Amino acid sequence: DADVTQTPRNRITKTGKRIMLECSQTKGHDRMYWYRQDPGLGLRLIYYSFDVKDINKGEISDGYSVSRQAQAKFSLSLESAIPNQTALYFCATAGTGGHKSTYEQYFGPGTRLTVT
Amino acid sequence: AQRVTQPEKLLSVFKGAPVELKCNYSYSGSPELFWYVQYSRQRLQLLLRHISRESIKGFTADLNKGETSFHLKKPFAQEEDSAMYYCALGTSYGKLTFGQGTILTVHP
């Protein structure tokens, strides 16, 4: 679904560097989410936002921060990257209202981040 | 606290065989359960949701509140079903809690 895009798609960085992952959506959704995917651990929620002025921590927010610059943009930052933040990162969106469940999320293609 | 458990990391079956991917959940509220699927080189997408009671690509899943389970089933697996499958639980705050995922491989 090209409506949710992530940049960059791949990134290799060094320990201690600051890095930002960006997510944009054209679905008009209010809700946006950041997850990380690790083998054997599934998807874990890092941060989520229900509108521009609403930012919430997920289950694994330590070491991460986010910015909701607009309804369509939600960025994830690693202030000082460490090797155990090597993972696949997904952005997702969800709408409210209508006949669909608000739990139906639409995912971006993912960003593969490697911290050396 | 909510939790989703998928006990099988890997599941292999032969084409035409029945397949069942297990999912158990723990949640004190009224659950909404989903199955998401990630095919090779594609993004994660919704497969089905328990509310709609629909069958997608031959898959069905029944919510069993007594056993707190939401197993995904298909009577005759196809090679194109090979993928990563995630069970997910929706909570009252608009969040999804995902299980660990099961990689299904369907052999020819």
Side-chain angles (χ1 to χ4, degrees):
Chain A
D1 188 338
D3 294 345
V4 185
T5 57
Q6 293 182 232
T7 55
R9 295 292 311 278
N10 289 282
R11 181 72 183 266
I12 300 174
T13 192
K14 294 183 182 242
T15 298
K17 294 291 187 182
R18 183 179 188 276
I19 183 168
M20 179 181 287
L21 309 183
E22 298 185 337
C23 177
S24 295
Q25 53 111 348
T26 59
K27 300 188 75 68
H29 287 166
D30 293 323
R31 300 183 177 192
M32 298 187 74
Y33 307 80
W34 275 105
Y35 295 91
R36 64 176 281 174
Q37 183 185 47
D38 299 277
L41 297 177
L43 270 76
R44 293 180 292 166
L45 184 63
I46 306 173
Y47 270 96
Y48 62 103
S49 169
F50 284 174
D51 66 41
V52 174
K53 296 182 180 179
D54 178 78
I55 303 289
N56 303 281
K57 293 182 177 181
E59 60 180 298
I60 53 163
S61 59
D62 287 349
Y64 301 95
S65 62
V66 291
S67 173
R68 185 82 184 264
Q69 300 95 323
Q71 187 202 35
K73 295 184 183 296
F74 192 36
S75 300
L76 176 72
S77 293
L78 287 68
E79 297 301 325
S80 180
I82 56 177
N84 76 0
Q85 292 178 312
T86 293
L88 188 55
Y89 290 84
F90 288 103
C91 172
T93 73
T96 56
H99 69 281
K100 288 191 174 181
S101 168
T102 57
Y103 299 114
E104 290 186 29
Q105 296 185 8
Y106 297 83
F107 284 79
T111 294
R112 186 167 297 280
L113 176 65
T114 303
V115 183
T116 62
Chain B
Q2 61 273 10
R3 183 185 301 171
V4 177
T5 302
Q6 292 178 249
E8 305 134 329
K9 287 186 178 180
L10 303 170
L11 185 61
S12 291
V13 300
F14 286 99
K15 178 182 174 181
V19 63
E20 180 180 54
L21 290 82
K22 290 184 167 50
C23 172
N24 289 90
Y25 67 92
S26 173
Y27 184 53
S28 57
S30 181
E32 278 198 60
L33 275 298
F34 302 83
W35 278 98
Y36 280 79
V37 61
Q38 187 176 25
Y39 300 105
S40 179
R41 295 194 180 89
Q42 293 186 30
R43 59 186 71 194
L44 195 64
Q45 58 187 288
L46 179 66
L47 179 62
L48 57 79
R49 45 188 166 147
H50 91 270
I51 290 177
S52 57
R53 292 179 169 271
E54 57 199 346
S55 173
I56 303 295
K57 299 184 179 183
F59 284 98
T60 59
D62 291 320
L63 177 60
N64 186 323
K65 291 186 177 180
E67 296 183 357
T68 60
S69 68
F70 188 56
H71 304 327
L72 183 68
K73 301 177 183 179
K74 185 170 183 177
F76 307 102
Q78 303 299 313
E79 291 178 68
E80 56 265 29
D81 296 328
S82 296
M84 167 75 89
Y85 291 81
Y86 285 104
C87 182
L89 167 68
T91 67
S92 58
Y93 299 107
K95 297 186 296 181
L96 283 173
T97 297
F98 287 86
Q100 303 90 329
T102 298
I103 298 174
L104 173 65
T105 303
V106 182
H107 300 284

